[in-house]
């Protein structure tokens, strides 16, 4: 029996919004999206460089651990990074690395040498410097691509969450880190959410990716999603909603939303034209 499971909106250039009825449908579509980007990247470059975030994101990637993806993807070509990390030990409950390892990496055959976590024995400042150095070395040999427009690393895919305050990675509203232009990786010591010390990709790196996906679930994200996407909010200061500053230079941005997170868009936003719904069997 056919069911309408997703509404898709075309928005600004190179931006798409997908709205799902359930988390399972979102996870299925996200897995297919990641699989397609992986296959294209491996075919074109010989590598797939993906940067992840923390929070619930890895749970939404769970379908990649199942058939057919666990058998069909070329996992040996995957190189895994983090767009943000907490300055805690790798085995700490708040470590994005630990969360990703427990829920994803331990279930797929990605080579250990292709997983790049931060140095958890260093200070947060040293960890950020070290992480940028590692990425620069991989850009030199093109394991990670390079943007032709600004010489930033060009990750094949960066996966992000959005917070209720509109933050992405560890770039929080009105934080000086949002203004950085030359750094690839930076650190903060005053995160409004614990723990306070974190490292994060900067906006130029995020916006240089070939593909960016932002995942949001829950009604508590609805206002932030609306502020980030809606043209009705042009009067907002740019740095007050960091997710609004995610604007790919040459890539594509796709939003993966459940109905609750999309509720403010669907309630009163006429800035989007609803395309024919996607029907799945």
């Amino acid at each position: 029996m056919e069911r309408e499971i997703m509404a898709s909106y075309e928005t600004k250039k190179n931006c798409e919004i997908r709205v799902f009825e359930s988390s399972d449908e979102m996870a299925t579509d996200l897995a297919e999206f990641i699989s397609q980007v992986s296959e294209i990247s491996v075919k074109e470059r010989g590598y797939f460089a993906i940067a992840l975030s923390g929070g619930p994101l890895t749970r939404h990637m769970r379908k990649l651990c199942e058939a057919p993806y666990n058998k069909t993807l070329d996992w040996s070509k995957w190189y895994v990074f983090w767009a943000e990390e907490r300055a805690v030990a790798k085995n700490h409950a708040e470590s994005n690395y630990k969360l990703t390892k427990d829920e994803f990496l331990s279930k797929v055959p990605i080579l250990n040498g292709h997983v790049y976590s931060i140095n958890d024995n260093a200070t947060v400042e040293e960890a950020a410097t070290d992480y940028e150095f590692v990425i620069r070395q991989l850009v030199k040999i093109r394991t990670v691509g390079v943007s032709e427009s600004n010489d930033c690393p060009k990750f094949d895919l960066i996966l992000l969450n959005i917070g209720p305050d509109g933050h992405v990675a560890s770039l929080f509203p009105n934080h000086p880190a949002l203004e950085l232009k030359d750094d690839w990786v930076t650190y903060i010591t005053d995160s409004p959410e614990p723990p306070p010390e974190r490292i994060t990709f900067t906006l130029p790196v995020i916006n240089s990716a070939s593909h960016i996906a932002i995942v949001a679930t829950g009604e508590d994200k609805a206002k932030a999603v609306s502020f980030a996407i809606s043209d009705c909010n042009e009067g907002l200061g740019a740095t007050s909603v960091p997710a609004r500053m995610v604007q790919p230079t040459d890539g594509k941005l796709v939003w993966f939303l459940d109905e609750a997170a999309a509720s403010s868009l669907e309630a009163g936003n006429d800035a989007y034209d609803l395309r024919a719904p996607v029907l799945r069997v």
Side-chain angles (χ1 to χ4, degrees):
M1 184 175 70
E2 287 190 341
R3 292 184 300 132
E4 180 180 313
I5 65 167
M6 183 179 78
S8 182
Y9 300 77
E10 288 291 352
T11 63
K12 303 167 187 175
K13 181 182 178 184
N14 298 329
C15 179
E16 181 184 350
I17 305 168
R18 303 181 184 183
V19 182
F20 302 88
E21 291 183 353
S22 72
S23 62
D24 192 66
E25 290 160 352
M26 176 188 288
T28 298
D29 197 68
L30 181 63
E32 182 60 24
F33 173 79
I34 296 171
S35 172
Q36 290 175 359
V37 176
S38 169
E39 291 176 2
I40 291 169
S41 301
V42 170
K43 183 177 181 179
E44 293 181 350
R45 300 199 313 109
Y47 308 98
F48 176 53
I50 179 172
L52 307 174
S53 295
L57 187 60
T58 49
R59 290 196 295 275
H60 296 306
M61 297 171 62
R62 64 186 180 276
K63 297 286 186 179
L64 289 172
C65 306
E66 304 171 2
Y69 306 110
N70 59 347
K71 302 295 184 184
T72 59
L73 285 175
D74 191 348
W75 296 105
S76 68
K77 301 296 194 299
W78 277 51
Y79 288 75
V80 179
F81 304 81
W82 278 265
E84 61 169 330
E85 179 57 287
R86 289 85 178 267
V88 296
K90 286 187 175 68
N91 62 355
H92 193 282
E94 292 183 317
S95 164
N96 287 339
Y97 168 81
K98 174 177 169 52
L99 180 65
T100 307
K101 182 179 180 181
D102 291 349
E103 297 193 0
F104 177 63
L105 293 175
S106 62
K107 302 175 182 179
V108 293
I110 296 174
L111 301 176
N112 289 334
H114 292 182
V115 177
Y116 293 87
S117 57
I118 71 165
N119 181 358
D120 60 345
N121 293 314
T123 67
V124 66
E125 182 177 5
E126 292 168 342
T129 300
D130 290 351
Y131 208 53
E132 178 168 326
F133 177 80
V134 168
I135 294 172
R136 287 187 180 274
Q137 301 312 301
L138 293 169
V139 167
K140 283 183 180 179
I141 60 175
R142 295 300 187 265
T143 300
V144 177
V146 62
S147 169
E148 295 179 359
S149 58
N150 59 13
D151 293 327
C152 275
K154 191 178 183 72
F155 286 89
D156 299 304
L157 175 59
I158 295 180
L159 291 175
L160 302 169
N161 297 296
I162 180 174
D165 61 353
H167 83 266
V168 288
S170 284
L171 297 170
F172 292 92
N174 301 313
H175 196 282
L178 291 166
E179 307 291 348
L180 295 175
K181 305 297 182 188
D182 298 322
D183 294 348
W184 290 2
V185 180
T186 191
Y187 69 96
I188 64 173
T189 58
D190 56 354
S191 167
E193 298 180 359
E197 294 189 342
R198 300 163 177 237
I199 72 163
T200 182
F201 282 4
T202 59
L203 275 171
V205 171
I206 292 172
N207 285 332
S208 294
S210 294
H211 300 83
I212 306 167
I214 302 180
V215 179
T217 59
E219 192 174 354
D220 64 324
K221 310 293 176 52
K223 189 171 291 186
V225 167
S226 178
F227 283 155
I229 296 172
S230 174
D231 287 333
C232 300
N233 297 306
E234 292 291 355
L236 286 172
T239 61
S240 64
V241 186
R244 190 174 179 83
M245 302 175 74
V246 177
Q247 299 174 2
T249 308
D250 300 306
K252 181 174 183 178
L253 168 62
V254 181
W255 289 80
F256 289 81
L257 310 173
D258 68 3
E259 290 184 330
S263 59
S264 291
L265 292 177
E266 297 175 332
N269 190 348
D270 296 326
Y272 309 103
D273 293 324
L274 182 62
R275 299 190 308 176
V278 175
L279 300 177
R280 303 258 179 102
V281 176

